[in-house]
Amino acid sequence: MHIPGHMLTEQVEMVASLVALTGVGAAVSSALKEEKKPPRLDFARIVAVVFVLQMLNFPVQEGTSGHFLGGALAAATLGTNFGILAMSLVITVQTLLFGDGGITALGANICNMALIPVWTYAIVRAYLPSRDVGTAIAAWVSVVAAAFACGTELVISSRPLQWAALSAMVAVHSLTGVVEAGITMGMVKMFTWEGAAAEAAGRMKNRWTVSLFLVIVGILLAPFASPLPDGLEWVAERYRLFHAGMPAFVAPLHDYKTTLIAHEYLSSVTAAFAGVVILAALSCALMTGLHSRRGRQG
């Protein structure tokens, strides 16, 4: 659902950027005031898991693929404010390092894949008492809400207005949302079990064993992701929403590959590994800053 450059009008990009800045800024302000912040490594592992899972595109319907979004998982494990920060960090690195999404559309992508899914999950989850079923339903709704927002931006930016693109976005991502619901529910249960098992055994250092295993497996499987266009690309091609134009810059690891390695598989794995390392470092730096800032205020 990463919107590339030259797909939205400048007006839509500007409004979305203002909303994104306001939303992320509010999340930072609220996160600083929270007494209980997630540990650095907990934040970093969620960021890494979301990043890796987003790389694993899977077939959804004939000629279309989908990928994990992650906003619900981030919100369920980190809370609303830190969930927004985690997703915003992933999306920003994907844009700047891998060219996944246009730099001028970064604000729209943060709105669609960070703010809206996290807020939607939090609101829906609050009204559903069942833990597992509530998590799954809220995760599904978060994807549909994100697709609706993205589709609306596409419609506003199209000339003539392509209202069918909105319904197509919601329809294809309704299917993707089913997978999102299952993965989110399973991951939340796994993290809960992992933490409880480590605490019972008195070895809290083992809390990240399963997460580390998932990240490593995800990196190794990333080159085998479905080559089919994702839901946004499929809709854009069907309704001719792509617009030619020069990119604002060339990302160093464009399309999740490194030009330094000729072997395609090793190139993809190396790029994915680099992304995980960079995101982990940035995550720890961000959380260190938030923790130290709170300490100085106190």
Side-chain angles (χ1 to χ4, degrees):
M1 205 183 294
H2 298 76
I3 300 175
H6 309 292
M7 184 173 285
L8 302 179
T9 63
E10 293 181 359
Q11 293 83 353
V12 172
E13 289 179 342
M14 185 177 298
V15 172
S17 296
L18 290 174
V19 174
L21 283 173
T22 303
V24 174
V28 171
S29 178
S30 298
L32 285 170
K33 298 175 184 177
E34 288 193 20
E35 294 291 339
K36 188 176 180 181
K37 298 179 175 62
R40 295 167 181 81
L41 290 180
D42 280 351
F43 184 86
R45 72 166 174 172
I46 296 301
V47 168
V49 167
V50 169
F51 169 73
V52 170
L53 289 179
Q54 281 197 6
M55 295 180 66
L56 303 177
N57 281 52
F58 49 85
V60 175
Q61 60 183 13
E62 186 177 358
T64 313
S65 71
H67 65 75
F68 186 71
L69 187 60
L73 177 62
T77 53
L78 299 174
T80 302
N81 295 317
F82 289 98
I84 289 174
L85 297 183
M87 291 302 300
S88 299
L89 184 60
V90 170
I91 296 163
T92 301
V93 169
Q94 287 173 331
T95 301
L96 299 179
L97 189 62
F98 300 100
D100 196 0
I103 190 169
T104 58
L106 178 58
N109 287 328
I110 288 177
C111 285
N112 299 338
M113 293 190 290
L115 299 180
I116 291 174
V118 171
W119 285 337
T120 303
Y121 174 87
I123 294 171
V124 175
R125 184 68 187 84
Y127 289 96
L128 298 174
S130 175
R131 181 171 183 176
D132 293 340
V133 176
T135 296
I137 294 175
W140 180 84
V141 174
S142 73
V143 174
V144 174
F148 183 86
C150 182
T152 300
E153 292 160 2
L154 294 178
V155 170
I156 295 174
S157 300
S158 63
R159 293 294 183 273
L161 298 180
Q162 298 281 0
W163 289 105
L166 174 58
S167 59
M169 278 290 294
V170 172
V172 69
H173 285 92
S174 294
L175 300 176
T176 304
V178 174
V179 179
E180 179 98 11
I183 292 176
T184 302
M185 183 176 65
M187 295 291 285
V188 170
K189 288 177 68 67
M190 183 200 69
F191 288 148
T192 302
W193 169 83
E194 184 182 33
E199 185 175 359
R203 293 179 293 185
M204 294 308 291
K205 290 184 179 179
N206 294 339
R207 280 194 303 162
W208 305 284
T209 303
V210 176
S211 305
L212 182 60
F213 174 77
L214 287 174
V215 170
I216 293 174
V217 172
I219 290 174
L220 296 177
L221 292 179
F224 300 106
S226 173
L228 295 173
D230 66 15
L232 172 60
E233 294 170 340
W234 178 77
V235 171
E237 290 175 0
R238 184 175 183 180
Y239 295 98
R240 300 179 181 179
L241 300 177
F242 281 122
H243 303 287
M246 291 293 293
F249 77 108
V250 178
L253 298 177
H254 182 73
D255 199 26
Y256 298 91
K257 290 181 175 61
T258 172
T259 56
L260 299 176
I261 301 176
H263 193 282
E264 186 172 355
Y265 178 80
L266 293 179
S267 177
S268 296
V269 168
T270 302
F273 178 75
V276 169
V277 171
I278 291 172
L279 279 168
L282 292 175
S283 297
C284 290
L286 173 62
M287 291 306 297
T288 298
L290 292 175
H291 278 278
S292 63
R293 180 68 179 272
R294 176 60 184 171
R296 288 196 295 269
Q297 288 180 344

